[in-house]
Amino acid sequence: MGGTINTKSDTLTWHRKHLLGLEELSAGEISLILDQAAKFKKQANEGETKNNSLKGTVVANLFFEPSTRTKTSFNIAAKRLSADTVDFTAASSSLSKGETFIDTAKNIEAMGVDHVVVRHSTPGAPHLLAKHLKANILNAGDGTHEHPTQALLDIFTIRENLGSLEGITVTLVGDILHSRVARSNIWGLTKLGANVIVCGPSTLIPPQIEKLGVKVSHNFDEILAESDCINLLRIQFERQRNAFFPSIREYAHLFGMNGERIRKAKKDVLVLAPGPINRGVEITPDVADGPNSVILDQVTNGVMIRMACLYLLNQQRKKNPQ
Ligand code: CP
């Protein structure tokens, strides 16, 4: 990857209205979010879990796809910043009566919403809202495109454990083709100077992905020993219309993280997974719950990252009121 990367955030201020993806962020902007999250984590560890930064504002969670971690942690993050929160669930909404996505969002905004967190199966849905709404938009996952706060919490967890991203090797294993987490991780990790390997069956690796500055491998065992971190991505059966590999059993045999592979990997290799995990497919329970796993730390850090994103967007909103 080479070159000097400016990851310093101390001379930067946040100037963006929305958080739509990591593709458009600079290394400094990514570091600004990570550093703010670190401040919130330090405060929480010292017993200061709540502050008044977003008091008087409303955060709406618009989830058009299921979620456990992202939706709950955005909710907790908003409450820790003293915002009021509102949850929208597509299944029980007036969408079933024919209301459009934009009309639904505009009606929710009209109730006095300042920040909209949106997850949708269509790539670009948050970008569309950013064009039509006055609220700040935070992308909580758009189809196969990006999941910026997931990548930020993955990167935060790596930085917390290894100190820096520069020069380390992070391997993303699994369904790269359908993974918004992979795409956001690739943007973020490469900008911060990490070497990224994507590994999986050839049917689940997008063609020409090397152009994003990553190395491709179809042999997990060959790249185990050079990986400082291994991020195990879920097979996204809900986004697959074809059979991309002969059987789950074969996938687990070739690309699953298990005790044998942990023994072949670096002693302190960090094992990450964005979740939800399919135990016995991409990871075996002994590894998921073992000493190298930071999976639940990622979830804890997700609250701090989402606090940092809401905080920075709100600071900018206060400077440039609508
Ligand atoms: N990692 C992630 O996005 O999990 P959820 O789908 O539960 O939000």
Side-chain angles (χ1 to χ4, degrees):
M1 310 292 145
T4 307
I5 291 155
N6 183 11
T7 57
K8 294 263 184 302
S9 72
D10 44 359
T11 55
L12 276 180
T13 49
W14 186 262
H15 68 277
R16 291 182 191 271
K17 181 168 164 54
H18 308 293
L19 179 71
L20 300 177
L22 296 196
E23 181 176 1
E24 58 260 36
L25 299 193
S26 66
E29 287 174 303
I30 293 171
S31 297
L32 196 61
I33 300 172
L34 302 179
D35 292 347
Q36 186 60 51
K39 282 180 204 161
F40 283 136
K41 186 157 186 179
K42 185 169 179 288
Q43 287 168 8
N45 289 341
E46 289 164 356
E48 227 183 293
T49 51
K50 225 171 153 149
N51 67 60
N52 284 332
S53 306
L54 265 74
K55 199 172 173 61
T57 72
V58 180
V59 177
N61 275 316
L62 267 58
F63 278 65
F64 295 82
E65 272 192 345
S67 168
T68 297
R69 282 145 289 270
T70 313
K71 187 173 179 180
T72 309
S73 63
F74 262 117
N75 239 320
I76 293 172
K79 286 185 167 73
R80 285 192 173 182
L81 299 169
S82 304
D84 293 319
T85 57
V86 58
D87 268 354
F88 165 88
T89 308
S92 57
S93 76
S94 290
L95 282 167
S96 60
K97 300 175 197 164
E99 192 169 46
T100 67
F101 170 59
I102 298 292
D103 281 338
T104 298
K106 278 187 162 177
N107 275 266
I108 288 172
E109 182 184 47
M111 296 179 211
V113 167
D114 304 281
H115 307 280
V116 171
V117 178
V118 61
R119 169 172 290 188
H120 202 282
S121 57
T122 305
H127 307 68
L128 193 64
L129 286 192
K131 287 200 181 97
H132 288 270
L133 268 56
K134 293 190 183 79
N136 300 122
I137 309 298
L138 296 100
N139 182 357
D142 62 325
T144 57
H145 178 227
E146 280 227 37
H147 190 349
T149 57
Q150 179 64 48
L152 287 164
L153 74 89
D154 294 344
I155 292 168
F156 181 91
T157 306
I158 294 171
R159 194 180 80 158
E160 188 174 55
N161 280 276
L162 303 185
S164 165
L165 275 293
E166 200 147 2
I168 66 157
T169 297
V170 180
T171 298
L172 306 169
V173 186
D175 185 355
I176 312 296
L177 184 66
H178 300 96
S179 177
R180 55 196 177 204
V181 175
R183 248 165 284 280
S184 289
N185 260 279
I186 290 169
W187 288 119
L189 288 166
T190 54
K191 282 173 197 229
L192 295 186
N195 305 306
V196 179
I197 304 174
V198 295
C199 177
S202 54
T203 48
L204 289 177
I205 306 278
Q208 305 198 333
I209 195 161
E210 294 92 339
K211 288 189 176 162
L212 297 183
V214 304
K215 178 176 148 182
V216 174
S217 168
H218 303 301
N219 188 330
F220 193 13
D221 292 305
E222 265 178 24
I223 44 90
L224 270 175
E226 62 185 287
S227 305
D228 297 295
C229 307
I230 297 174
N231 197 344
L232 299 151
L233 307 177
R234 187 172 63 87
I235 297 295
Q236 306 213 4
F237 295 107
E238 73 275 23
R239 297 192 208 283
Q240 295 188 8
R241 289 181 188 83
N242 307 308
F244 284 87
F245 46 85
S247 71
I248 292 176
R249 192 187 162 97
E250 184 185 294
Y251 179 84
H253 175 67
L254 292 174
F255 297 103
M257 193 59 179
N258 53 35
E260 197 182 327
R261 290 199 166 106
I262 277 285
R263 284 186 285 282
K264 285 193 212 159
K266 288 189 181 183
K267 184 173 164 289
D268 296 322
V269 66
L270 283 190
V271 175
L272 301 102
I277 57 171
N278 289 316
R279 288 173 182 261
V281 182
E282 71 268 12
I283 190 164
T284 52
D286 55 323
V287 179
D289 305 325
N292 296 82
S293 167
V294 289
I295 295 172
L296 288 179
D297 297 336
Q298 289 172 263
V299 179
T300 303
N301 291 335
V303 174
M304 313 303 160
I305 284 292
R306 283 152 187 147
M307 283 176 79
C309 295
L310 286 167
Y311 172 82
L312 290 169
L313 294 189
N314 195 57
Q315 292 298 101
Q316 175 63 11
R317 190 174 179 82
K318 284 198 274 191
K319 276 190 260 165
N320 289 303
Q322 301 305 305

